[in-house]
Amino acid sequence: MNNKLPNSLFRGSNVVKIARKLLGSHLFTNFNDELTSGIIVEVEAYCGATDKACHAYPDKVTPRTKIMYESGGVAYVYLVYGMHHLFNIVTNAGGSADAVLIRAIEPIAGVAVMQKRRNTNQNNKLLTGGPARLTQALGINVSHNKSDLQGEHIWLTEGKHYTDKEIITSTRIGVEYAGDDALLPWRFHIKDNKYVSK
DNA sequence: TAGGTGATCTTG
DNA sequence: AAGATCACCTAT
């Protein structure tokens, strides 16, 4: 589609600011001619150098985290709990392991396709609210790890720009193991949006 | 609220 | 080689 978000937007040095700025962008996938998209309404930031909640903390390169050290604009997709695929956007310049977890989208294109993939006829937060729900709805799985977000399968476009009053800041979900860093205000979501996970 | 599920990383 | 852990979801 037109006007893909440029890599320059992903390559800033402050992953928290980038995460917040991504709210309102549209996330697209196109697999086997099935086009789906949604508005990003919930995100979290992760920083490998300083953040105990990040897989790459403390700046540790492993086979899994290697992708996070790439220059911004590629996907980091991993499996948790043996069954859930979570989609992140790698940010920063090469060498800094930062990423933004996409936690919820508001469905726009291909709702029927998403419902089929999710095996539901609902269109509410059960469809795309939650990091593993949205990947299933969009058809994203670990085979898409390392995908280039300028490519033809997964990409973003510019969308609405929300004002400060429409954006809620909070702590991240499911990172209690990170001690003090679980308290960082690195989760952002759109106020009153019905697709936000919690 | 408890259980499912398997890759990933650490320990020995 | 074995064990613990896990950026979650679904059904009870």
Side-chain angles (χ1 to χ4, degrees), chain A residues 51-178:
Chain A
D51 166 21
K52 295 190 195 67
C54 184
H55 293 155
Y57 178 83
D59 232 352
K60 189 176 44 180
V61 182
T62 69
R64 180 171 68 158
T65 63
K66 194 164 178 256
I67 186 62
M68 298 180 78
Y69 291 85
E70 294 296 311
S71 294
V74 295
Y76 168 41
V77 186
Y78 69 94
L79 186 70
V80 269
Y81 300 113
M83 56 190 109
H84 299 124
H85 303 256
L86 271 56
F87 171 74
N88 299 251
I89 297 171
V90 171
T91 71
N92 213 320
S96 298
D98 295 352
V100 176
L101 172 67
I102 309 302
R103 287 196 54 94
I105 62 170
E106 176 178 331
I108 300 293
V111 171
V113 172
M114 294 194 242
Q115 289 171 328
K116 179 188 66 178
R117 287 174 178 152
R118 292 272 304 131
N119 193 29
T120 179
N121 52 15
Q122 308 204 57
N123 185 347
N124 53 32
K125 74 174 64 180
L126 291 178
L127 185 62
T128 56
R133 288 177 179 152
L134 76 89
T135 55
Q136 189 179 25
L138 292 172
I140 295 172
N141 59 59
V142 293
S143 77
H144 308 294
N145 189 30
K146 309 183 183 181
S147 292
D148 181 357
L149 300 179
Q150 303 297 322
E152 57 178 14
H153 294 298
I154 310 176
W155 69 96
L156 290 92
T157 67
E158 187 168 355
K160 176 172 176 175
H161 290 103
Y162 291 98
T163 64
D164 287 352
K165 289 175 68 172
E166 296 173 287
I167 297 177
I168 308 290
T169 302
S170 66
T171 57
R172 295 170 293 178
I173 308 277
V175 296
E176 293 76 13
Y177 62 88

Side-chain angles (χ1 to χ4, degrees), chain A residues 20-70:
Chain A
R20 195 174 187 286
K21 196 187 283 189
L22 285 173
L23 288 172
S25 299
H26 288 242
L27 175 60
F28 286 82
T29 64
N30 189 349
F31 300 119
N32 300 322
D33 273 328
E34 295 188 303
L35 179 73
T36 52
S37 79
I39 301 169
I40 295 174
V41 296
E42 180 182 349
V43 296
E44 288 176 356
Y46 288 84
C47 174
T50 63
D51 166 21
K52 295 190 195 67
C54 184
H55 293 155
Y57 178 83
D59 232 352
K60 189 176 44 180
V61 182
T62 69
R64 180 171 68 158
T65 63
K66 194 164 178 256
I67 186 62
M68 298 180 78
Y69 291 85
E70 294 296 311

